[in-house]
Amino acid sequence: MTKYRFADRLSRLGTETAFAVSTEAAAHAAAGHKVYPFHLGDMNIRTPENLIEAASRAMRDGKTGYCSNYGVTELREALAEDINGSHGTDYAMENIAIQPGGKPVIGKFILALMNPGDEVLYPNPGYPIYESQIEFHGGKAVPYQYVEGAETFEFDVEEIERAITPETRLIIVNDLQNPTGAEASAEQLKRLGELILRHDLLVLCDEAYFDIRYEGASKSLASLDGMAERCVILYTFSKRFAMTGWRLGAAVGPREIIDVIANLNVNDESCSNHFIQYAAIEGLRGDQSGPRQLLKTLKARRDKAVDLLNTISGLRCLRPRATFYLFPNATEAMAKKGFSDYEAFRADALAQTGVSFCTRLHFGRPSGEEQNLYIRLAYAGIDVDQIEEGLLTFKEYIEG
Ligand SMILES: Cc1ncc(COP(=O)(O)O)c(C=O)c1O
């Protein structure tokens, strides 16, 4: 019982339960145990030095007051140019509102475009904040499934179409996906675009991992015919420039929607942190050796982790070409250890081996029809030698 009368709407607010796994892992480490941190999508890679220097310079130059609620002009111009280069789009700075991180774009998109009672399609398993924000603001969260295919996890455009009702207004698309690392084919994106036009939907394109790619080229739904006027891109500097703790991102989309989001900025945070926006300009326009090295480091970790996971009896792991997540099928491994309950398995593995990971349960409510069991490993916060040591320990635990 609490003595405070909290607002009723809080009963609908979810959270990112992966943070609870971090707390548990930290407690395990504080008790003197070794921990292999595969649980959180944070990085143990430093922000490139030229970005740190640019922010320090901006601070010394007096960029310490408020700036425009849309963000610094030069950054908006640099970002429009950068996105046009990678997406083949035609954005101008008026299509961009800088945000304190990529995450705020989710809630602001929903606040701007969803009325209570509207239905919103979202990926499941998927980033848990979608479900939380849709329901918090009184919408109906309607999941569409990602299922394991031969080379990547996949969604089914026909299943999405079957879930559409007269109340469906919005769809959230997270191609290059957390937690599965999934990537849609050009054909799938095209069919998704046609469906969006047919049903007059607006789209949140969560492109948090657009630039975290090791092979091939990223494609954006927003660059397909007729899509730019229907898509708001969630852009973030967090992963591409190893800036997770700086909190800087952007909403990129049709000018009318961006103006509404910029007004939400005024009401929420006034403006994003002023001087760090100069680090982002340096990131986009300056020396690119930092982001290049980051991809090299992450790719080596991916390969080490996938190779080792696939030697473990009862585990099967795809090799995503993008993101820094792995989503191995652990159905048989869990059965071998006598577990059908995700949390019991996760807690036991942490206690016995120090290997800390999330499970499918941390990524939205499972549908009743899922037959396979999955765990999620992130490799952005753990070095190659620790990946090796941790996964060999995990192998012994599963096979022993
Ligand atoms: C799919 C997805 N979207 C958005 C975000 C938010 O990123 P940030 O707020 O750090 O830019 C994350 C972070 O992990 C993510 O995984």
Side-chain angles (χ1 to χ4, degrees), residues 22-37:
S22 291
T23 309
E24 240 179 88
H28 193 67
H33 304 291
K34 174 93 197 178
V35 167
Y36 301 96

Side-chain angles (χ1 to χ4, degrees), residues 58-66 274-275:
M59 224 184 302
R60 282 193 299 269
D61 287 349
K63 310 291 189 198
T64 49
Y66 296 120
H274 189 173
F275 49 85

Side-chain angles (χ1 to χ4, degrees), residues 156-163 191 195:
D156 176 353
V157 178
E158 273 142 34
E159 182 207 314
I160 296 179
E161 187 138 37
R162 281 195 297 277
R191 290 180 54 219
L195 171 147

